[in-house]
């Protein structure tokens, strides 16, 4: 199995690149943000809980997120060639939980691809994405919420890179350039471990 993590700040292009990498390497794409938005549109109890945090640009509590991710892994295990995680893990407890969950399935994280993009570029991109979308995400419409998401990333998520650096699994890629240029760089990094 190949299990990839796409790491990086909100709006760094994780979702776009995850879809392309999933297709290229035949992996199952798991976006925790998409899973939460799906729960919200179905008005499930999990969705209602998640919405309280997402609308402010805060992280959904670990136990909720890890539980949802674990269910998804169980549902797909045995059916797929590997996973690409987009937006997970975002905290140290989530990274520990992922190691354990994959270990239970006799597999592990193969590589972490970290996209680097600065705050001003991020804010501009997300506001632009909202403007161009027919159905913009509520958390993309307000600059203060976007900046909070970036701060949450710096404080809670960016330290998680160390977890994978220690394990020699971290590759950093500059996330500025065309979608295809960045995709080529990501693809090369994955091909190196194959
Ligand atoms: P972005 O990367 O643009 O912020 P996502 O779709 O990945 O978009 O996430 C949107 C929101 O969903 C986050 O701000 C957070 O509230 C919630 N979320 C997504 N993934 C996680 C996670 N792993 N842990 C906690 N909250 C999460």
């Amino acid at each position: 199995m190949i299990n990839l993590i796409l790491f990086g700040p909100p709006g760094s292009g994780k979702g776009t690149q995850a879809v392309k990498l999933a297709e290229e390497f035949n992996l199952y794409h798991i976006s925790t943000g998409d899973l939460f938005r799906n729960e919200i549109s179905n008005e499930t109890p999990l969705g209602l809980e998640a919405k309280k945090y997402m609308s402010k640009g805060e992280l959904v509590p670990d136990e909720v997120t890890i539980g949802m991710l674990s269910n998804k892994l169980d549902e797909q295990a045995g059916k797929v060639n590997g996973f690409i995680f987009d937006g997970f893990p975002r905290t140290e407890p989530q990274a520990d939980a992922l190691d354990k969950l994959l270990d239970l399935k006799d597999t592990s994280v193969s590589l972490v691809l970290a996209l680097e993009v600065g705050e001003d570029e991020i804010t501009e991109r997300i506001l632009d994405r909202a403007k161009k979308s027919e159905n913009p995400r509520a958390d993309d419409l307000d600059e203060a919420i976007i900046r909070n998401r970036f701060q949450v990333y710096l404080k809670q998520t960016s330290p998680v890179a160390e977890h994978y650096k220690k394990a020699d699994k971290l590759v950093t890629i500059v996330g500025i350039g065309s979608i295809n240029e960045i995709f080529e760089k990501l693809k090369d990094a994955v091909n190196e471990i194959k």
Side-chain angles (χ1 to χ4, degrees):
M1 272 179 110
I2 309 180
N3 301 300
L4 304 177
I5 295 174
L6 263 184
F7 196 80
S12 56
K14 299 189 297 291
T16 307
Q17 298 294 345
V19 170
K20 291 171 74 72
L21 289 166
E23 195 187 355
E24 176 77 22
F25 296 105
N26 191 22
L27 305 173
Y28 187 87
H29 175 206
I30 298 184
S31 155
T32 41
D34 286 349
L35 292 175
F36 283 133
R37 281 184 286 277
N38 195 33
E39 298 284 338
I40 291 174
S41 62
N42 290 327
E43 295 179 3
T44 66
L46 177 69
L48 292 177
E49 177 69 11
K51 194 177 176 179
K52 291 192 240 163
Y53 300 92
M54 290 172 76
S55 61
K56 292 184 278 186
E58 302 290 333
L59 295 183
V60 178
D62 281 336
E63 62 276 18
V64 177
T65 308
I66 292 167
M68 179 178 74
L69 192 275
S70 167
N71 290 339
K72 201 69 195 169
L73 283 183
D74 285 343
E75 181 194 297
Q76 294 300 325
K79 295 190 203 165
V80 300
N81 202 18
F83 293 96
I84 180 154
F85 298 97
D86 155 15
F88 187 94
R90 266 173 145 103
T91 63
E92 193 64 41
Q94 291 182 16
D96 289 336
L98 183 61
D99 286 344
K100 290 198 186 100
L101 290 168
L102 291 177
D103 194 45
L104 286 173
K105 305 209 171 338
D106 289 323
T107 187
S108 60
V109 172
S110 316
L111 195 66
V112 180
L113 301 158
L115 290 171
E116 270 188 343
V117 186
E119 178 172 357
D120 290 337
E121 168 83 14
I122 292 288
T123 309
E124 224 171 276
R125 277 193 199 181
I126 296 179
L127 286 171
D128 198 51
R129 162 168 95 186
K131 251 187 245 151
K132 287 186 180 142
S133 165
E134 268 175 38
N135 187 15
R137 284 170 42 179
D139 60 345
D140 280 356
L141 288 168
D142 181 334
E143 184 167 340
I145 294 173
I146 298 169
R147 292 208 180 261
N148 189 43
R149 279 154 61 198
F150 192 83
Q151 289 310 313
V152 167
Y153 170 78
L154 288 182
K155 276 198 212 101
Q156 293 175 257
T157 304
S158 67
V160 178
E162 261 316 294
H163 181 99
Y164 297 107
K165 200 172 176 187
K166 270 189 229 143
D168 208 16
K169 289 183 176 171
L170 186 75
V171 175
T172 302
I173 283 154
V174 176
I176 310 252
S178 74
I179 290 174
N180 278 330
E181 275 163 13
I182 296 166
F183 178 57
E184 288 302 319
K185 289 193 266 180
L186 294 168
K187 212 166 64 175
D188 288 348
V190 180
N191 279 323
E192 284 210 6
I193 57 154
K194 283 184 75 192

